[in-house]
Amino acid sequence: MLGSSRSRHRLTTALAGFGLLVTGAALQVGTAAAPAHAATTYRVLFDDGHAEEAGNADWIISTSKPDPLAQNSSPSSDKDWTGALSSWGVALQKTGSYSLKTATSALTYGGSSTTDLSKFDALVLPEPNTLFTTAEKTAIMNFVKNGGGLFMISDHTGADRNNDGYDAVEILNDLMTNNSVDSTDPFGFSIDSLDISSGYPAAISDSGNAVLHGGFGTVTKSLIADGTTATLKPSDNSAVKGLVYRSGYSGNTGAFFATSTFGSGRVAFWGDSSPIDDGTGQSGNTLYDGWNDSGATNAALALNATAWLTGASSGGGGGGGGGGGGTCTSAQILGNPGFESGNTTWTAGSGIITNSSGEAARTGSYKAWLDGYGSAHTDTLSQSVTIPSGCSATLSFYLHVDTAETTTSTAYDKLTVTAGSTTLATYSNLNAASGYVLKSFDVSSLAGTTATIKFSGVEGSTLQTSFVVDDTALNVS
């Protein structure tokens, strides 16, 4: 199916061989155009007032606080903001649908400060290492009860980074069991006092769950690297649900990621901080890139959960402060999204949808392989799809760019991604990477129309660049 020139050039590039081994889910980098903005802005507050930077931790989206935009107002990669959570923050920022802030002082609810919880849709607690005060616990619990989303990220027992006698397991359990609002197991789970050294906990099968199958991708596994789990107690709260489980566990034990509701709000729990660590941060910290771990889908899990907690996506457990488009039925609406049905549904040039061994698919056997000939060439891949009225819509796909170009400054070969008449992003040989990278765009402005999703690859006269696309999705909710 493929021309010999294409195959020969691809197999002789240094990145091609290495790229077969890595399928990381890092978030979008490159020369992306500004995405279409959704009508609603979802507000997320990341806590940094409880020793989240103690010891070797660096659980911040940016060193600029409270507003990360002061460090870079238009970030295009995680390096534009400084912090081990910068990939998370930048990915949300780039959708155009989220407003992010960092809290560095006591958490309040109903006050006038710029980081008061009443001004936000979700609160992220990324491995807190000091106890919350009585007033703070009251504020957090009332925030959730009245419709806010709470994201609790723990670490293993004994991870007392500031040596004050308390670790995240104890601190988060104290929040749930020692507060003035509801201390009778309000969320329906408790965090286990465990130190699980390693593993890749697997997601349950639930195609309708917005956290596992959301606008930022499909969750298959997470990463545990010295973490813990939770014990579920559905008799105390019937909404609690385990979504990702430690190997050999199911039901009410060994839940590595769980969701629940409380009052009008939503709650998510994650048993380790390693999955949210993107390997970047402030000087002096030794960090691990769990965000892009090739054996897991941590980025999709973090981002889908954030969308669910804020109300930006529906499904997955009820509750929540709104969002999701009301009467819209949540669904993935692209046909043949992973190309496993071969050259069907999509309109594609010869040899684009292929199971050739020259480039590995991210999942399954087939992928869409544009360009890679090492000569002047244009490839296109497109599909027209009707986006229902009243829906929020997110286009996502995984992209691997492999090139023989050696320049670090000139874009000789380009891939342009469009939705309808809107150019979503342009990538080039300068975006070459060893593995697949998750791209995600809000296309809610196209609701009620039939739009063509199109990938156009244009290659120069010498030295190949391959643009390999897999696992596409257009999720509506």
Side-chain angles (χ1 to χ4, degrees):
M1 181 179 288
L2 299 179
S4 60
S5 175
R6 184 185 199 191
S7 178
R8 181 172 62 251
H9 279 296
R10 289 185 173 187
L11 291 176
T12 56
T13 62
L15 282 176
F18 184 65
L20 303 182
L21 303 177
V22 185
T23 54
L27 287 176
Q28 186 170 308
V29 296
T31 54
H37 285 232
T40 301
T41 298
Y42 301 98
R43 306 158 299 172
V44 184
L45 182 65
F46 286 80
D47 182 48
D48 187 35
H50 297 85
E52 281 91 352
E53 296 179 70
N56 204 42
D58 199 61
W59 311 136
I60 56 173
I61 56 173
S62 169
T63 51
S64 176
K65 309 162 195 175
D67 189 358
L69 296 180
Q71 182 173 11
N72 188 310
S73 61
S74 185
S76 61
S77 77
D78 63 306
K79 303 296 193 304
D80 291 331
W81 288 354
T82 304
L85 307 188
S86 59
S87 287
W88 189 350
V90 169
L92 293 174
Q93 180 64 36
K94 290 181 66 174
T95 68
S97 300
Y98 292 85
S99 174
L100 313 177
K101 293 290 188 295
T102 300
T104 58
S105 55
L107 296 170
T108 60
Y109 181 60
S112 59
S113 74
T114 58
T115 57
D116 186 81
L117 289 172
S118 63
K119 296 178 172 63
F120 295 88
D121 300 301
L123 168 66
V124 180
L125 301 177
E127 195 193 338
N129 253 256
T130 59
L131 286 168
F132 296 102
T133 67
T134 299
E136 286 181 310
K137 288 185 284 187
T138 299
I140 294 169
M141 295 299 293
N142 278 326
F143 166 69
V144 180
K145 185 177 182 180
N146 293 329
L150 177 63
F151 204 152
M152 300 191 297
I153 300 167
S154 186
D155 202 358
H156 62 89
T157 190
D160 180 8
R161 297 180 184 270
N162 61 342
N163 299 312
D164 69 345
Y166 297 98
D167 56 36
V169 173
E170 296 165 310
I171 292 163
L172 295 174
N173 277 334
D174 178 72
L175 168 65
M176 294 185 286
T177 62
N178 185 25
N179 67 81
S180 63
V181 179
D182 188 339
S183 292
T184 59
D185 192 21
F187 306 153
F189 66 86
S190 60
I191 304 172
D192 303 324
S193 295
L194 296 173
D195 183 351
I196 306 164
S197 61
S198 62
Y200 286 97
I204 65 170
S205 177
D206 186 351
S207 61
N209 189 280
V211 176
L212 298 180
H213 300 272
F216 292 97
T218 296
V219 177
T220 56
K221 291 184 178 181
S222 186
L223 163 75
I224 189 165
D226 287 313
T228 189
T229 56
T231 296
L232 311 186
K233 304 172 185 176
S235 60
D236 293 339
N237 186 329
S238 60
V240 70
K241 183 172 186 177
L243 302 186
V244 179
Y245 281 86
R246 179 185 180 190
S247 178
Y249 290 80
S250 62
N252 295 334
T253 59
F256 184 59
F257 196 102
T259 59
S260 188
T261 64
F262 176 62
S264 300
R266 294 172 171 175
V267 178
F269 160 79
W270 208 340
D272 196 358
S273 54
S274 296
I276 59 172
D277 186 344
D278 66 11
T280 69
Q282 299 170 85
S283 177
N285 287 330
T286 302
L287 301 168
Y288 172 75
D289 191 358
W291 186 265
N292 300 310
D293 190 288
S294 61
T297 47
N298 294 317
L301 183 52
L303 295 166
N304 286 343
T306 306
W308 179 73
L309 288 168
T310 60
S313 68
S314 60
T327 60
C328 183
T329 299
S330 296
Q332 193 291 113
I333 59 175
L334 282 180
N336 193 19
F339 309 108
E340 295 306 307
S341 297
N343 196 16
T344 63
T345 310
W346 295 90
T347 299
S350 176
I352 292 177
I353 297 177
T354 176
N355 62 352
S356 165
S357 60
E359 290 282 359
R362 178 179 177 269
T363 60
S365 300
Y366 283 80
K367 69 278 178 180
W369 184 354
L370 293 87
D371 296 328
Y373 289 88
S375 59
H377 188 83
T378 298
D379 276 334
T380 59
L381 171 75
S382 65
Q383 182 179 151
S384 293
V385 60
T386 300
I387 303 175
S389 298
C391 287
S392 297
T394 302
L395 173 69
S396 64
F397 56 92
Y398 284 85
L399 174 66
H400 170 51
V401 181
D402 166 43
T403 188
E405 302 283 0
T406 58
T407 178
T408 58
S409 59
T410 305
Y412 290 113
D413 313 308
K414 297 180 180 180
L415 177 74
T416 302
V417 184
T418 58
S421 61
T422 301
T423 297
L424 301 177
T426 299
Y427 307 99
S428 74
N429 48 281
L430 300 179
N431 299 118
S434 57
Y436 281 89
V437 182
L438 175 63
K439 315 294 182 182
S440 183
F441 303 90
D442 187 290
V443 292
S444 302
S445 62
L446 298 175
T449 70
T450 297
T452 297
I453 307 302
K454 186 175 183 179
F455 300 83
S456 301
V458 179
E459 192 172 21
S461 59
T462 61
L463 298 179
Q464 76 87 23
T465 298
S466 297
F467 300 101
V468 191
V469 177
D470 203 358
D471 296 329
T472 67
L474 208 171
N475 287 290
V476 298
S477 61

